[in-house]
Amino acid sequence: MGDLRTIRVTGKGQVKLKPDMTRIYVTLSGLYKEYAETLSRSSEDTDKLKELLAGYGFDRRDLKTLSFDVNTEYEGYQEDGIWKQRFAGYRFNHVLKVEFDSDNELLGKMLYGLANSDLNPEIRLGYTVRDKEAARNELLGRAVKDAGEKAKVLATAAGVALKDICTIDYSWGEADFETSPMRNMMMAKAAVADETMGYSMDIEPDDIQVSDSVTVVWEIE
């Protein structure tokens, strides 16, 4: 920008969004002596989960894998008064996600089904918004507007005038449009499981508050 005189201002945008999508995060895990058996059991459990969700109207492809790993695991034992370790097996951990338009009745049925399955999953709930692109655009618009208002105040105080914008710098980071009011849920199994039953859920998640910033450079005279 050579001999140009400039002013650089960082603007911050904030939005508050009402969640309209529910996410169920499911972690499947198992420990087996043989590596091949570990992979086979993991596939079987994943298939069982897909079948369970299909009973609530989901397509098998609606279940998305977030992470999958297999690690060796050891256990401690005592021999002749000395603590030692021995190989316990291979443990798989498979984290998956399914999301749907928020519906507490459907959520209650799904959680009941998961709790009374033989999968013994770890479960976490998350809430998000369907139209993330519109939310991001609103967030950026507010950040740029904030930068412009600050620039005008600074320019007036310094006795200079704003001219054209030289650059706009935005990190393009991924804003986290999610709130997680319930983590690692513990659900008791029913004495007699009934797939038509469900837990009574009355969850109203808090608004999602997201912020981001942009840096704008103006030429001044």
Side-chain angles (χ1 to χ4, degrees), residues 37-48 68 92 94:
E37 182 183 9
T38 304
L39 294 180
S40 176
R41 292 298 186 95
S42 170
S43 295
E44 290 175 10
D45 284 358
T46 302
D47 192 63
K48 288 180 182 178
F68 177 80
F92 77 83
H94 193 179

Side-chain angles (χ1 to χ4, degrees), residues 20-40:
D20 56 12
M21 295 284 291
T22 299
R23 288 173 172 171
I24 300 180
Y25 295 91
V26 180
T27 300
L28 302 176
S29 183
L31 179 68
Y32 302 96
K33 288 291 186 181
E34 301 297 330
Y35 189 81
E37 182 183 9
T38 304
L39 294 180
S40 176

Side-chain angles (χ1 to χ4, degrees), residues 23-173:
R23 288 173 172 171
I24 300 180
Y25 295 91
V26 180
T27 300
L28 302 176
S29 183
L31 179 68
Y32 302 96
K33 288 291 186 181
E34 301 297 330
Y35 189 81
E37 182 183 9
T38 304
L39 294 180
S40 176
R41 292 298 186 95
S42 170
S43 295
E44 290 175 10
D45 284 358
T46 302
D47 192 63
K48 288 180 182 178
L49 180 57
K50 289 181 178 180
E51 285 299 313
L52 187 154
L53 294 179
Y56 300 108
F58 291 91
D59 187 279
R60 293 172 64 90
R61 292 170 296 182
D62 291 333
L63 185 66
K64 307 297 185 182
T65 291
L66 299 181
S67 68
F68 177 80
D69 60 73
V70 178
N71 294 299
T72 54
E73 192 165 303
Y74 294 84
E75 60 186 4
Y77 70 100
Q78 193 172 25
E79 183 178 331
D80 298 328
I82 300 175
W83 280 99
K84 298 182 179 181
Q85 280 195 327
R86 60 189 171 201
F87 176 70
Y90 297 94
R91 179 175 296 280
F92 77 83
N93 286 287
H94 193 179
V95 183
L96 306 105
K97 176 191 74 174
V98 63
E99 62 181 25
F100 52 94
D101 291 334
S102 292
D103 179 337
N104 277 333
E105 182 178 356
L106 175 59
L107 174 62
K109 290 180 178 180
M110 292 173 68
L111 294 180
Y112 181 91
L114 287 166
N116 290 283
S117 70
D118 61 358
L119 295 172
N120 296 314
E122 291 184 12
I123 297 173
R124 177 172 71 84
L125 293 185
Y127 292 87
T128 187
V129 292
R130 176 175 290 280
D131 195 350
K132 299 179 185 63
E133 192 61 31
R136 289 191 186 96
N137 291 340
E138 182 179 356
L139 190 61
L140 288 178
R142 292 190 180 190
V144 172
K145 181 180 179 181
D146 182 57
E149 292 173 350
K150 290 177 179 176
K152 290 176 182 177
V153 171
L154 292 172
T156 298
V160 297
L162 294 177
K163 297 181 68 177
D164 295 333
I165 291 177
C166 299
T167 62
I168 299 178
D169 182 24
Y170 174 56
S171 65
W172 296 104

Side-chain angles (χ1 to χ4, degrees), residues 8-12 143 146-148 150 154 212-216 218:
R8 178 187 299 268
V9 180
T10 297
K12 185 175 183 180
D146 182 57
K150 290 177 179 176
L154 292 172
D212 210 340
S213 61
V214 297
T215 299
V216 185
W218 279 268

